[in-house]
Amino acid sequence: MKLVILGGGASGMAAAIEAAHTNAHMDIIIAEKLDRPGKKILATGNGRCNFSNINASVDNYYGKDSNFTAWCLKRFTVNDTVNFFNQLGIFPKEEDKGKLYPFSGQASSVLDCLRNEIKRLGIHMETGFYAKEISKSKKSFKITAADKRVLYADKLIVAGGGCASPVLGSDGSCFELLRSMGHRVSELAPALVQMKTDPKEVRSLQGIKVNGVLRLIQKDRYIAEDRGEILFTDYGISGPPVFQLSARIPFRKNIIASIDLMPDNSPKEVYDILEYRRSCLSHLTMEDFFTGLLNKRVGNLIARRAGIDKLSFKAEMLDDRLLWSIASLIKDYRLEIKGTKGFGNAQVTAGGVLTADFDEKTMESKLVKGLYACGEVLDIYGDCGGYNLQWAWSSGRLAGKSAAEALM
Ligand SMILES: Cc1cc2nc3c(=O)[nH]c(=O)nc-3n(C[C@H](O)[C@H](O)[C@H](O)COP(=O)(O)OP(=O)(O)OC[C@H]3O[C@@H](n4cnc5c(N)ncnc54)[C@H](O)[C@@H]3O)c2cc1C
């Protein structure tokens, strides 16, 4: 009996290991496009691999039917992930907001532990195998690679990821393979990615980091917010809150990013601070009025937005109306979001193969018996902070277990 797993990423390796743990009497082959598996894992968590999050729940996931995750996350929980990796040698370390990392601080240790277990279990790794075609006869699946190598399988798990960061392997080809077997694929968009604004709005701030609250607004309706370091770039904004909130952007239009530069103070408190500065620093021009309160270039931009054309404008000339509009801009500095930096820079893909075509209890296709899918290739993605890898481990293990049980 043979199980082939297409894709040697996080979900594919988890599927293979779980399948081998469940049923020792079958051949398991991981067919991976690149010359080695798990390349993306090495890049996760800035090289430290934020491999899960103790707070993971259905609410952290998005997709046409994000409830699809519920069964899977219950079947293979965060605790199960921690135990799974503990047994492979990964001692977990919890950091802010429930993020879990390996104590070693190295993403490579997560990959090494997975590879050691794969080797111990005798799972065969077929590398450089770029699957181009899948077909199914009555008896088995036939998987053909770009170089004409062919693999046959009694059960097939597709774990080829989405199209985010294609240099790390996942180029969207598995969407086409599953489509060719009759599955529906929803609209795709990059997520967990930098946001683009009008470059003219941010060019003068390039390289500046501010600690603030980022809010997303659509047609005056509040969507979500996150707090942390926001980085201005030549194209727009980046930084942890930007990545976090970009999960909420796909498929929405007319998004406004509002930055609160003094989140610990109310608008009235900010106004009072400005009023006090006006009385003490009345001799200064707008060029220097904000020094010590805001980054100088941010202050200059705010003064301009408030309608003060010349930086030589004296603080003593600020009337109460101008002070209020400066205070409002400090609390609510708005940038129109023009898009994102695209799949090349994105951490995950929003959209994918519709989960309605799969059984959430087994991850098996409802259309093609014996075919399973897991990980990012499905129309499920999560927040920033370890949730996407948790989905990869949970869904991979469920698919691996189901396929192995079906071969018993
Ligand atoms: C830079 C970066 C940082 C990230 N950091 C984190 C983090 O810290 N925490 C977190 O939770 N998530 C993080 N993510 C997201 C997370 O890595 C992914 O959600 C997760 O790896 C998806 O797992 P997967 O197995 O579904 O797909 P992938 O990990 O993308 O694996 C798919 C594999 O399939 C192979 N493949 C694709 N097509 C074919 C084909 N046709 N034939 C054969 N093989 C194929 C690919 O080469 C690849 O090895 C990050 C992503 C990126 C890009």
Side-chain angles (χ1 to χ4, degrees):
M1 285 297 179
K2 197 184 277 178
L3 168 66
V4 169
I5 295 160
L6 205 53
S11 67
M13 284 191 279
I17 292 170
E18 188 63 36
H21 286 173
T22 306
N23 180 352
H25 306 289
M26 57 180 188
D27 291 332
I28 304 176
I29 300 175
I30 298 178
E32 166 56 45
K33 175 187 152 190
L34 301 180
D35 57 1
R36 59 196 194 121
K39 207 170 167 195
K40 192 179 281 177
I41 292 173
L42 297 176
T44 58
N46 283 326
R48 294 199 303 129
C49 189
N50 174 197
F51 71 94
S52 184
N53 192 302
I54 56 158
N55 301 317
S57 83
V58 184
D59 297 341
N60 299 107
Y61 294 92
Y62 310 95
K64 281 215 171 359
D65 176 17
S66 53
N67 281 326
F68 186 88
T69 52
W71 173 267
C72 190
L73 291 178
K74 224 164 111 190
R75 183 66 190 80
F76 287 101
T77 63
V78 174
N79 259 344
D80 292 329
T81 296
V82 170
N83 291 337
F84 175 81
F85 278 105
N86 230 329
Q87 278 164 19
L88 302 192
I90 295 295
F91 189 70
K93 179 172 181 260
E94 188 186 327
E95 295 194 7
D96 63 311
K97 298 180 184 168
K99 293 177 194 163
L100 294 175
Y101 293 86
F103 198 82
S104 63
Q106 292 176 295
S108 58
S109 53
V110 173
L111 179 55
D112 286 345
C113 287
L114 290 166
R115 284 168 59 192
N116 289 342
E117 184 67 352
I118 282 169
K119 196 169 165 201
R120 184 184 78 81
L121 293 166
I123 295 165
H124 176 71
M125 188 70 72
E126 186 82 18
T127 52
F129 188 99
Y130 187 13
K132 282 286 184 187
E133 216 180 296
I134 308 174
S135 57
K136 194 189 176 198
S137 65
K138 258 199 180 131
K139 270 189 161 171
S140 61
F141 290 94
K142 179 181 175 193
I143 307 115
T144 311
D147 62 6
K148 304 289 176 224
R149 261 182 287 170
V150 173
L151 290 172
Y152 292 94
D154 299 295
K155 304 278 176 201
L156 173 65
I157 299 178
V158 178
C163 33
S165 288
V167 289
L168 301 174
S170 48
D171 60 359
S173 52
C174 286
F175 294 134
E176 292 320 312
L177 293 177
L178 285 170
R179 212 197 297 264
S180 74
M181 302 290 279
H183 301 88
R184 294 166 292 168
V185 179
S186 69
E187 195 186 338
L188 306 170
L192 307 197
V193 60
Q194 304 91 334
M195 298 180 196
K196 289 205 272 192
T197 65
D198 180 348
K200 285 201 288 287
E201 291 273 0
V202 286
R203 202 168 282 142
S204 67
L205 304 182
Q206 192 178 338
I208 294 173
K209 286 178 183 165
V210 295
N211 240 307
V213 167
L214 181 69
R215 295 190 178 90
L216 287 189
I217 297 163
Q218 186 183 32
K219 291 187 184 147
D220 281 332
R221 213 171 54 85
Y222 166 89
I223 301 173
E225 69 182 53
D226 195 44
R227 187 177 180 142
E229 209 165 64
I230 302 156
L231 169 69
F232 292 97
T233 66
D234 56 338
Y235 56 78
I237 47 176
S238 182
V242 175
F243 272 78
Q244 177 60 31
L245 293 186
S246 70
R248 311 297 283 272
I249 286 188
F251 320 120
R252 290 184 199 257
K253 290 199 167 69
N254 305 318
I255 297 278
I256 301 287
S258 157
I259 301 172
D260 184 344
L261 294 158
M262 294 181 70
D264 294 325
N265 299 96
S266 68
K268 174 71 171 76
E269 283 168 349
V270 175
Y271 176 85
D272 290 345
I273 291 166
L274 293 172
E275 194 179 38
Y276 177 71
R277 292 174 78 84
R278 179 177 60 183
S279 64
C280 304
L281 307 171
S282 58
H283 57 288
L284 294 180
T285 63
M286 283 303 103
E287 175 99 47
D288 294 310
F289 179 67
F290 296 99
T291 306
L293 180 69
L294 300 176
N295 178 291
K296 194 168 176 167
R297 280 188 277 154
V298 174
N300 292 173
L301 199 71
I302 281 182
R304 277 208 199 92
R305 266 226 188 162
I308 302 168
D309 290 340
K310 294 205 169 87
L311 289 175
S312 56
F313 190 90
K314 278 270 185 68
E316 64 190 8
M317 310 274 284
L318 287 169
D319 58 24
D320 294 351
R321 188 193 53 81
L322 266 176
L323 272 198
W324 264 118
S325 70
I326 291 171
S328 306
L329 284 163
I330 289 174
K331 290 296 293 172
D332 182 14
Y333 190 84
R334 293 188 174 210
L335 293 164
E336 194 185 329
I337 299 304
K338 304 268 189 195
T340 69
K341 282 289 274 177
F343 283 116
N345 291 272
Q347 290 192 359
V348 294
T349 306
V353 176
L354 286 190
T355 49
D357 291 343
F358 288 82
D359 178 347
E360 84 257 36
K361 296 218 162 89
T362 58
M363 312 303 280
E364 187 175 15
S365 165
K366 292 177 184 169
L367 312 178
V368 184
K369 218 173 149 24
L371 176 79
Y372 301 75
C374 55
E376 210 179 299
V377 75
L378 289 167
D379 170 32
I380 298 284
Y381 69 104
D383 282 328
C384 197
Y387 302 98
N388 287 291
L389 281 173
Q390 179 56 46
W391 170 243
W393 315 129
S394 292
S395 60
R397 291 180 70 190
L398 182 56
K401 189 166 195 63
S402 309
E405 281 174 351
L407 284 174
M408 274 174 166

